[in-house]
Amino acid sequence: MAQWTSAMGAAQLARLLNSQQDRPAGPGTRRPPAYRALADGIRLLVLEGRVPVAARLPAERELALALSVSRTTVAAAYEALRTEGFLESRRGAGSWTSVPAGNPLPARGLEPLPPEALGSVIDLGCASLPAPEPWLTRAVQGALEELPPYAHTHGDYPAGLPALRAMIAERYTLRGIPTMPEQIMVTTGAMGAIDAICHLFAGRGERVAVESPSYANILQLMREAGARLVPVAMADGLSGWDMDRWRQVLRDAAPRIAYVVADFHNPTGALAGDDQRRQLVDAARSAGTVLVADETMTELWLDDDVDMPRPVCGFDPAGSTVITVGSASKAFWAGMRIGWVRAAPDVIRSLVAARAYADLGTPVLEQLAVNWLFSTGGWEQAVDIRRAQARENRDALVGALRRQLPDWEFEVPRGGLTLWVRTGGLSGSRLAEMGERVGLRVPSGPRFGVDGAFEGYVRLPFTVGGAVAEEAAARLAAAARLVENGVSGGGGESPRTFVA
Ligand SMILES: Cc1ncc(COP(=O)(O)O)c(C=O)c1O
């Protein structure tokens, strides 16, 4: 069987390669031979995730034609890539991209570091903010008042408290998506929701299409469930979803599920437009793929003039293609551990059974607290505080980076909690390693890729502002100088850098 999971056409690859030529060459760079330049271009595309790992490349003759170079040049470039471990070939199956076995992939198990262990270290690993007080305290007090009738029950609600299910359903209905309580399951965070979905749909060997890059912990959860990840490269900038690519992958790989974060995508901050949403749902339906839309970031628009598109499930009136996941973690507080799923009632019943052996249910008191927030309007006020914090932090971080690291490139997202930064040709893994020396925890790009892509990136969250943001950027610049000067660390990126 062929080892590739998607295919890259000659015209498409030529377009990507030509777009690289706009990038400035480093100082004193000499022009390499044509085959070397081509091999380097393809290698960079793989490392940046713009060409997925395990993507079949066009035949030599086709690529030569598309690039107007000789076939010998392409053959020599492919040969160089094979020698370096970036390409595998088999007679009859073609050639597909890979990453070398020794590529410095960051450790995959991500261990949370408790805040009290940080000391003077600035932690840019977690895209989570402190609770928007006084709303956490008020919500817990409200929950305590509601608790007595529940204290007389067994307390096991595997699908969630009926009151909270009804409230979440009503909130979808108010967004224009008619929803019944039977279509909602309350989960232990969005992670709990995706875990149950993976149990039900994406067991061992199943293909799962994911944006590349995507949220690190979900990728890891899926890997551990035994799924085969099929990366679909995000387009440059904040436009995000290249629909030709999605249609091709869904058609060619026919994955069991596709996982997307259409609202302020983690890590890029991209926001899908109505058309992209409609096309994603249509392509998934045609391929028989379940489209999982993660709305964890949905309420975090940071600029007032952002027009929020219709929810992805709004383009699936039959309700048979899209499963929606939501969470209180980013809009309110990650310590709450409340998430939910919206799906067809029969899917919810199966998901309830699928989650039963993991955690049986979600804590009642926290469910009551979120229900209190939703029913009193406290939620809206709390989310306003959250948006103001995140906006202020985003603007401080962007300013500090432009001052301290003017060569680094990024697009400023209109919402979400993360900035996806191209590090001016420096290795993100080495930056993370040197960051540890200067008191900064920063996750490298490859944590957000499938199989080693995005070495030239880091992800920075909107979690620090003012003088701390300035200091964080100064430490990043210090780490960059250590990398440029070739200081060796030895240990690699700490597996303890927690990514959320
Ligand atoms: C896109 C996305 N989905 C899910 C999660 C995890 O959410 P929860 O804390 O609700 O489990 C995160 C956290 O960073 C996220 O960014």
Side-chain angles (χ1 to χ4, degrees):
M1 210 178 70
Q3 298 299 301
W4 46 272
T5 50
S6 63
M8 172 87 18
Q12 198 182 0
L13 183 55
R15 223 178 11 254
L16 287 171
L17 286 163
N18 289 333
S19 73
Q20 288 177 322
Q21 286 165 6
D22 305 334
R23 298 230 199 129
T29 331
R30 246 194 269 128
R31 191 186 272 275
Y35 87 89
R36 189 63 260 173
L38 177 56
D40 286 348
I42 294 175
R43 184 170 49 87
L44 194 65
L45 288 173
V46 172
L47 284 176
E48 288 192 346
R50 295 183 342 136
V51 170
V53 174
R56 189 178 58 157
L57 293 192
E60 292 168 5
R61 189 190 305 276
E62 287 168 33
L63 185 59
L65 216 70
L67 289 171
S68 307
V69 298
S70 74
R71 186 174 165 185
T72 334
T73 300
V74 179
Y78 277 15
E79 186 50 38
L81 287 168
R82 261 190 294 275
T83 310
E84 293 155 11
F86 285 94
L87 198 69
E88 290 177 35
S89 308
R90 174 127 37 82
R91 197 175 292 280
S95 297
W96 56 93
T97 53
S98 59
V99 285
N103 207 44
L105 276 178
R108 286 176 164 179
L110 302 172
E111 224 181 285
L113 192 67
E116 63 275 12
L118 281 169
S120 60
V121 173
I122 299 177
D123 185 9
L124 298 184
C126 265
S128 300
L129 284 157
E133 285 289 49
W135 294 103
L136 175 61
T137 305
R138 287 190 190 164
V140 173
Q141 282 163 349
L144 276 174
E145 282 167 25
E146 306 278 331
L147 191 63
Y150 293 95
H152 298 298
T153 72
H154 52 57
D156 275 340
Y157 295 93
L161 290 186
L164 182 57
R165 294 175 77 192
M167 180 59 71
I168 295 171
E170 190 185 317
R171 291 173 65 83
Y172 279 106
T173 304
L174 288 174
R175 285 168 76 193
I177 316 293
T179 304
M180 301 175 297
E182 299 74 29
Q183 287 177 264
I184 302 294
M185 167 170 97
V186 180
T187 59
T188 306
M191 292 300 287
I194 306 278
D195 186 52
I197 292 168
C198 283
H199 258 87
L200 190 60
F201 292 104
R204 215 140 277 289
E206 290 286 359
R207 288 180 173 181
V208 176
V210 291
E211 293 139 342
S212 174
S214 183
Y215 171 51
N217 285 5
I218 298 277
L219 294 179
Q220 186 59 12
L221 189 157
M222 290 171 170
R223 283 187 196 104
E224 286 183 5
R228 268 184 84 186
L229 300 184
V230 182
V232 188
M234 295 288 278
D236 263 350
L238 295 175
S239 58
W241 295 261
D242 175 334
M243 288 318 309
D244 286 340
R245 238 176 262 172
W246 272 97
R247 265 187 292 273
Q248 189 189 6
V249 168
L250 293 178
R251 197 181 50 231
D252 293 352
R256 188 73 187 86
I257 63 180
Y259 167 77
V260 295
V261 185
D263 304 327
F264 311 121
H265 173 257
N266 184 355
T268 64
L271 174 67
D274 275 346
D275 243 22
Q276 288 169 312
R277 290 164 194 250
R278 180 178 302 108
Q279 292 184 43
L280 268 172
V281 175
D282 289 349
R285 187 184 299 117
S286 307
T289 297
V290 173
L291 184 62
V292 178
D294 182 337
E295 291 194 340
T296 295
M297 299 284 186
T298 298
E299 294 193 54
L300 289 178
W301 60 87
L302 303 183
D303 298 324
D304 290 336
D305 58 343
V306 175
D307 284 329
M308 279 308 291
R310 237 172 116 62
V312 175
C313 61
F315 296 93
D316 177 32
S320 51
T321 300
V322 177
I323 296 182
T324 307
V325 170
S327 170
S329 287
K330 301 293 166 177
F332 185 70
W333 190 47
M336 206 62 136
R337 306 308 310 139
I338 297 287
W340 55 87
V341 181
R342 177 195 182 274
D346 61 323
V347 174
I348 291 293
R349 280 192 293 278
S350 305
L351 285 171
V352 169
R355 74 95 62 105
Y357 301 108
D359 63 2
L360 271 183
T362 300
V364 169
L365 194 65
E366 278 77 352
Q367 293 191 68
L368 287 174
V370 170
N371 196 40
W372 183 90
L373 285 165
F374 283 157
S375 53
T376 57
W379 176 266
E380 275 65 34
Q381 298 194 51
V383 179
D384 268 348
I385 296 177
R386 160 69 71 249
R387 284 193 202 107
Q389 285 171 324
R391 184 185 315 119
E392 212 176 299
N393 290 348
R394 176 194 64 181
D395 296 345
L397 180 68
V398 164
L401 279 176
R402 288 194 174 135
R403 278 186 291 279
Q404 307 269 0
L405 290 153
D407 294 342
W408 288 20
E409 296 167 78
F410 51 83
E411 300 257 356
V412 182
R414 316 289 312 274
L417 288 176
T418 54
L419 196 63
W420 185 235
V421 182
R422 198 181 255 150
T423 51
L426 296 180
S427 150
S429 306
R430 295 274 296 127
L431 278 165
E433 197 182 341
M434 290 302 118
E436 303 259 331
R437 290 203 174 188
V438 296
L440 186 75
R441 283 182 180 274
V442 57
S444 68
R447 286 180 182 274
F448 303 87
V450 175
D451 298 330
F454 306 112
E455 190 49 57
Y457 289 80
V458 290
R459 189 199 72 172
L460 306 178
F462 307 150
T463 48
V464 290
V468 185
E470 197 69 43
E471 177 59 23
R475 291 186 192 183
L476 259 180
R481 282 191 295 277
L482 291 177
V483 174
E484 277 163 349
N485 294 336
V487 174
S488 68
E493 180 177 358
S494 166
R496 290 176 66 84
T497 302
F498 179 47
V499 180

